[in-house]
Every structure is written in C-alpha cells, then in structure tokens.
Amino acid sequence: MAGKWTLILYGPTYDLSNTDNVFYQKTNTLLQPTKIPTSSVSNYDDTLNQPFSVNSIQLYTLNNAIYEYEQWYSDAYQTEVAEYNPEGKVVPNSNLKVVSDTDNPAKNNSEIAGIFTMQPNDVAIVKITPVKASLKGQAYFFFNGSGKYTPDISYSYAFNDATTPTKITDVSDPSTITAPSGAKTLQLDQTGYIDPQWTGGDSNVKIDSNGKITGLDNPAEAGKTVTFKVTHGIDSTITHTFNVKIPAKSNPTPTPNNNGASSSNNSTAPANPTNNAWNPTTPPKADGSTGLPNYAAVKGAAVYATKRVYMYRNANFKKSQRIATYPKAKRVNRPMFVVLDYAKSNGGALRYKVRDVNHNSKTDGKIGYITANPKYVVNVYYKTMPKSHKITVINKKGIHTYKHVNLTGRVKTFKKGTHITVKRFVKHNLTTRYQLSNGTYITANKKLVIQGNY
C-alpha cells in the first residue's frame, strides 16, 4: 500500500477545500500525528483564497496502481477510522466515521468526518487495507487537533490470577520479575499500547495473546530466566521486555564428604556466604551511612567486568567453587551483571551477589558471587557529564534517541562513530541518560557510548 498519499481538507462544500499534494513527505506517526486545523484557506480554483471551517478530511492516493480506474476508492481499498485514548483503548465516537458517497451509499471515497468531536488528548487512527487482490500490505495514518499524542505507558503483573496486580515502577527496559515459589501462572499487563503483541517463552513456559504466562511450575524450568516481550501493534518501535526468573529447586542439606567439606550437586545455585547475616544497608550505621565503600554499586544496578573475573558459589573464593569464567573483553562486549546483594569474605573483602544478564551467553541467568573490587568491576552507566559535553557512539548498531526518559518514542538513530553534544545528565531509576538540546534522550550505557570524541 505504499504510495503518494494526498490530504484534502474540506469545508461545508467540496468547492471549499485545501489540497496538500506533498502530505506523504511530511511526518505522520503515532507520537507525531498530523494536526488538523479548525479552519483553512481554499486552494481550489473556483474558491481560491477563500477561508473556510474544516468539516472533514480525505486521503487520496496519487498511485495509479492503487486507485487505477475505480469510481470509488472503496473499490480499491477499505478505509477505517477509530479514536484511541492515551491508555490505548478505543473510544466509542459515532461522529468520527468514514462518510458514504452520496451517489452510492454502499461506497466511499475515504472522506473522514468528526475529527473535532474527539477528546483533546486522543488520536484518530486511519487504517487502509487493500480490496484489490493485486495490492498487498496496509497503511496507517494519524490525526488530531494538536499534532501530539502521548500514550500513558505503564506495566504490571499478577501471579496465580491475583486480583490486585503489582505495578512495575521501574520501567527501564528490561524489567525483571522474580516468581515466588509455587507460582504457576503470571499475567503481564500494560497500558498505552494499541493492539499489543506478546511474544517469548519456550517449549514449556508459554504466553498467550493476552499476556498470560503458563508453565512456571514445570520442573524443567526451575532456576531459569525466561524472556517475554510486548510490542505495540501499530508502532513497532514501542516495546518492553520482561525477564521472569523462576526459582531453583530446593537444595538438599549439604552432607560432609571425606575431607570435611560440604558437597552439592547444583553447580549454579550459590551456597550462603560465610557471614550471610551481614547486611550493609539494613540497618544503616549510626551516622547514616550504609557500611559500604563509596565505589560500591547499589542493589539492582548494572555492573560490568573490565578484566577477567570469575563467578563463585560463595563469598570465599576457591577455584573448586567457580561457576563461570568471564575473560577480559573489549568494552562493547564486556560481561554484565545485576547486583542482587552484598557479602564479605572471611578476610573482609566485599563481594557482589549478582545475576548474569549476558542474554546471548550460555551463562545467562546464573547467580553467584563476583569481586566488588573497582579495578575489576565498575558501573555500566556513566554517573557524570563529560567535561567537553561530547560523547561518541561505539555500539556497532548505533544508538537511538527517544522522546521520553524511559527510552520510548524513538526519534532517530545515530550511527557508530557519531559525535554527539549532550546538554544534561539525567538519572532514571537505577540507570542514567543524556539529554540533547532538542529535548530527546539517549542512553548513558558505557557499552554503547564513550565520553569525548574518539
């Protein structure tokens, strides 16, 4: 259905009209819909320069392969229109409609009336699908009276058909949800998406078209992290990923072996550290500090390894207790972890209890202990502005700019090697962003950008 679509504004009569023949070259997206003015000036020959109130609009194609010889547009394609609110729900509006042709009420020419009867924050979405067998695909167009539409995007979940869902307050992508012991089902929900598409899971844990997940209690899934994704049905740039962590099987009580050491058959489930009662954040010290060194990452933050590190079952590092090895890697490929908790070795060295979040690796989802030494492990996200206010894109696929600080509403893409001037440093939950002078946001992830010009 690609074609050169023209937009026509109509007044009380068809002689009073304004035709925009280059409409197809202008921005028309869900987040930047076309603004329909309440009044215009006619550019129709017989009524040239006459002002008129806009009553309706029409989409007309200049592509002969689409329209060809049909007397009515509805012989070539079907036009539908609906009003949507910021929650992504259809708003019933009998005034917003595709108008039948006066010569043949069974046909129409894609004239749409009622734009100004919508609620101020809503959007009219026009969907055009082919009727002719020779045409393929579909087209969407977006209109309202302000040229802006801001969806109220939020996410929540509920286990085992709980009546009160839990709202996800940290909407950084991805979200991590830990299933409680005995969970069988999980209902994922969102607002702000139109015709959401749910994908993900595996052969045992599945998700249906309404976001309901089943199979969490399958024994084969114990200890795994399963990934799901919701995608906006009209704007595929709006997505969100959910990592659902399924609890591991309960470990048997370790039994002493012949040399007095404990043994266990589960190589991925870390044993308790020697001083597991130590919790540096609860309660804080009398002076209000946490008991952590100032370089320590906060719980829930992402860190990566700058040198070779190992993951261990407990805080007292022994070669025999290694779960995984992470070789030194280039910056863009450095192994990444999420900090779950803290521990200390018998000698007092700080350790991070972490979850491996290297999604393309066989170690993805493993939980264990790594060093917290800042010579080896540091925060993934920048915490400062560059002195020069310049950053360079280092990710081979480039990075995107977004309208919103939660990195939704994609605007444009910067290729690898692009130098970008940033205006402001912004904290967003446990991550950080850079804001550009035009108000859009980019990530401050060190695996994707580097401070300065390189």
Side-chain angles (χ1 to χ4, degrees), residues 156-428:
S156 63
Y157 64 90
F159 286 102
N160 297 335
D161 299 319
T163 55
T164 303
T166 299
K167 186 174 182 179
I168 298 176
T169 55
D170 178 3
V171 294
S172 56
D173 197 2
S175 295
T176 298
I177 302 171
T178 301
S181 178
K184 295 182 179 181
T185 65
L186 170 61
Q187 178 66 57
L188 297 177
D189 280 307
Q190 53 66 43
T191 63
Y193 284 57
I194 297 172
D195 297 333
Q197 308 296 313
W198 296 94
T199 56
D202 56 28
S203 58
N204 297 315
V205 181
K206 302 181 183 299
I207 190 167
D208 67 14
S209 59
N210 296 314
K212 185 170 184 177
I213 299 167
T214 55
L216 297 177
D217 56 340
N218 190 303
E221 300 296 313
K224 292 184 180 180
T225 297
V226 187
T227 298
F228 302 90
K229 185 176 182 180
V230 60
T231 303
H232 196 287
I234 294 175
D235 187 343
S236 61
T237 66
I238 302 176
T239 66
H240 195 78
T241 300
F242 305 84
N243 291 328
V244 179
K245 186 180 181 311
I246 302 173
K249 295 178 182 178
S250 299
N251 291 328
T253 303
T255 55
N257 57 26
N258 291 335
N259 62 11
S262 296
S263 63
S264 172
N265 292 326
N266 189 336
S267 62
T268 62
N272 289 331
T274 302
N275 48 356
N276 62 328
W278 178 75
N279 188 334
T281 58
T282 310
K285 289 186 174 182
D287 61 359
S289 65
T290 63
L292 290 168
N294 57 10
Y295 63 77
V298 300
K299 289 182 183 180
V303 296
Y304 67 15
T306 57
K307 300 179 181 180
R308 176 187 291 267
V309 298
Y310 302 93
M311 181 185 286
Y312 296 85
R313 288 189 193 169
N314 59 49
N316 292 312
F317 293 172
K318 293 182 180 180
K319 189 173 182 179
S320 62
Q321 297 291 306
R322 286 177 182 170
I323 296 173
T325 301
Y326 302 91
K328 182 178 179 179
K330 293 182 179 180
R331 181 184 180 112
V332 294
N333 297 320
R334 287 173 179 170
M336 192 161 66
F337 313 88
V338 170
V339 177
L340 304 177
D341 210 339
Y342 313 99
K344 281 185 179 179
S345 70
N346 286 342
L350 179 63
R351 314 296 198 200
Y352 291 138
K353 182 179 179 181
V354 297
R355 180 178 63 256
D356 182 312
V357 290
N358 302 290
H359 301 312
N360 295 322
S361 170
K362 292 181 180 179
T363 59
D364 182 28
K366 285 184 179 291
I367 294 177
Y369 294 85
I370 64 172
T371 180
N373 188 328
K375 293 181 179 179
Y376 293 84
V377 176
V378 297
N379 282 282
V380 169
Y381 289 86
Y382 279 115
K383 292 188 173 182
T384 61
M385 276 285 288
K387 292 181 180 179
S388 64
H389 283 238
K390 303 285 186 181
I391 63 168
T392 303
V393 180
I394 60 175
N395 183 39
K396 65 180 181 180
K397 294 183 179 180
I399 65 169
H400 306 300
T401 64
Y402 297 88
K403 293 177 66 67
H404 308 294
V405 72
N406 65 350
L407 302 188
T408 59
R410 185 186 298 180
V411 177
K412 65 178 294 185
T413 301
F414 288 116
K415 294 182 179 179
K416 179 182 177 182
T418 304
H419 301 307
I420 305 172
T421 301
V422 294
K423 180 183 73 172
R424 195 162 67 97
F425 179 75
V426 181
K427 292 182 179 180
H428 179 67

Side-chain angles (χ1 to χ4, degrees), residues 108-151:
N108 70 73
N109 281 322
S110 294
E111 182 185 349
I112 299 162
I115 292 290
F116 300 111
T117 65
M118 296 195 306
Q119 296 297 314
N121 296 322
D122 292 355
V123 63
I125 298 182
V126 179
K127 179 180 179 182
I128 295 181
T129 51
V131 173
K132 292 169 61 175
S134 61
L135 299 177
K136 304 296 180 184
Q138 57 189 21
Y140 287 97
F141 300 93
F142 311 90
F143 304 95
N144 67 9
S146 65
K148 295 180 181 179
Y149 174 72
T150 306

Side-chain angles (χ1 to χ4, degrees), residues 1 65-68 70 72-78 129-133 135:
M1 292 298 292
I66 295 177
Y67 180 54
E68 210 166 48
E70 284 80 1
W72 292 280
Y73 299 171
S74 51
D75 289 335
Y77 50 80
Q78 178 185 19
T129 51
V131 173
K132 292 169 61 175
L135 299 177

